[in-house]
């Protein structure tokens, strides 16, 4: 693809993610205001922290006046998966110039990781132009929807009363199922799900996320690798790219 096509494709991918993640941005803005944040403070947190699930965890703990170090550790536990994301994309982001790598890591959220992996496995290079175009659209949308949610938050009242809080788990499930054709997907996913549920009951939130991730990794390591003659099924990815 030439540069224009890379830019256009990246913007399209970012627009799709922006539309699907808009309810989460609105949800965070509403919850932030409900926990004492101003509209400006909510927007700054979305722009600088830029991590949907970890922002929701942090804002809830802030509202309960928890010690700052506990909030930081809790956000770290939620964002542990980003360490795995960066490791998995090391060969991709490693192709970028040094300064652009830092920006790429900042934009490395869940949908950015998923779309980058799909693009690479479909035989097309995830160039920085494509990567940044997608990431910039998602970032701008996230900040804007946060402002909208914060502004109208008092009108919404308790977002949980409307069931808005279930949108994020559904969204993450959709991202996860996008990799269902990969080798050993179901046993790894099941191990992570069971591990996180058990940890939630015995350890509590948000540490159950990291426990589930570690257990999924262990199962992936134990299970036999794909045979040499097996080719990854990228038919679904190719359909998405069309």
């Amino acid at each position: 693809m030439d540069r224009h096509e890379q830019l256009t494709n990246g913007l399209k991918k970012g627009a799709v993610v922006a539309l699907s993640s808009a309810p989460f941005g609105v949800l965070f803005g509403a919850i932030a205001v409900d926990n004492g944040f101003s509209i400006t403070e909510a927007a700054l947190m979305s722009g600088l922290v830029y991590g949907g699930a970890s922002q929701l965890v942090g804002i809830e703990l802030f509202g309960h006046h928890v010690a700052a170090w506990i909030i930081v550790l809790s956000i770290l536990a939620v964002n542990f998966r980003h360490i795995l994301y960066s490791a998995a994309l090391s060969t991709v982001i490693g192709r970028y110039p040094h300064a652009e790598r830092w920006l790429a890591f900042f934009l490395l959220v869940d949908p950015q990781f998923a779309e980058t992996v799909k693009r690479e496995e479909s035989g097309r290079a995830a160039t920085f132009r494509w990567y940044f175009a997608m990431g910039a659209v998602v970032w701008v949308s996230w900040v804007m929807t946060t402002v909208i949610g914060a502004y109208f938050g008092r009108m919404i009242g308790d977002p949980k009363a409307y069931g808005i809080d279930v949108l994020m788990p559904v969204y993450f499930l959709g991202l996860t199922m996008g990799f269902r054709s990969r080798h050993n997907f179901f046993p790894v996913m099941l191990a992570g799900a069971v591990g996180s549920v058990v940890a939630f009951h015995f350890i509590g939130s948000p540490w159950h996320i990291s426990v589930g991730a570690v257990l999924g990794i262990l199962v992936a390591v134990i299970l036999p690798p794909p045979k040499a003659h097996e080719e990854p099924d990228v038919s679904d990815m190719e359909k998405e790219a069309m």
Side-chain angles (χ1 to χ4, degrees), residues 114-159:
E115 291 298 335
T116 302
V117 171
K118 291 178 182 179
R119 185 175 177 83
E120 286 284 319
E121 292 189 347
S122 66
R124 295 171 299 158
T127 63
F128 180 76
R129 179 180 292 270
W130 173 88
Y131 188 101
F132 178 75
M134 177 186 170
V137 172
V138 178
W139 182 84
V140 171
S141 171
W142 179 251
V143 176
M144 290 179 62
T145 53
T146 294
V147 172
I148 293 172
Y151 186 79
F152 293 102
R154 293 183 178 86
M155 297 174 59
I156 297 175
D158 183 8

Side-chain angles (χ1 to χ4, degrees), residues 177-222:
M177 293 304 295
F179 292 92
R180 62 187 179 278
S181 61
R182 295 173 69 92
H183 182 73
N184 287 333
F185 168 80
F186 286 101
V188 172
M189 181 195 68
L190 184 61
V194 172
S196 62
V197 170
V198 172
F200 178 81
H201 287 284
F202 288 95
I203 301 176
S205 176
W207 306 102
H208 66 294
I209 299 176
S210 297
V211 172
V214 171
L215 187 58
I217 294 171
L218 291 176
V219 172
V221 172
I222 294 172

Side-chain angles (χ1 to χ4, degrees), residues 31-114:
I31 292 178
V33 169
D34 188 56
N35 281 276
F37 273 45
S38 67
I39 297 177
T40 302
E41 289 169 341
L44 283 174
M45 187 173 186
S46 281
L48 298 176
V49 177
Y50 190 44
S54 61
Q55 286 181 224
L56 288 170
V57 169
I59 209 73
E60 289 285 357
L61 293 176
F62 178 85
H64 288 86
H65 305 288
V66 177
W69 67 271
I70 296 180
I71 297 177
V72 172
L73 284 180
S74 298
I75 291 176
L76 178 62
V78 175
N79 280 347
F80 174 79
R81 67 190 187 281
H82 289 266
I83 298 176
L84 307 178
Y85 290 168
S86 60
L89 294 183
S90 60
T91 57
V92 177
I93 297 179
R95 298 195 301 255
Y96 304 157
H98 187 73
E100 293 175 351
R101 293 179 195 172
W102 290 101
L103 182 57
F105 283 127
F106 175 75
L107 296 174
L108 185 54
V109 290
D110 301 282
Q112 188 83 26
F113 168 77

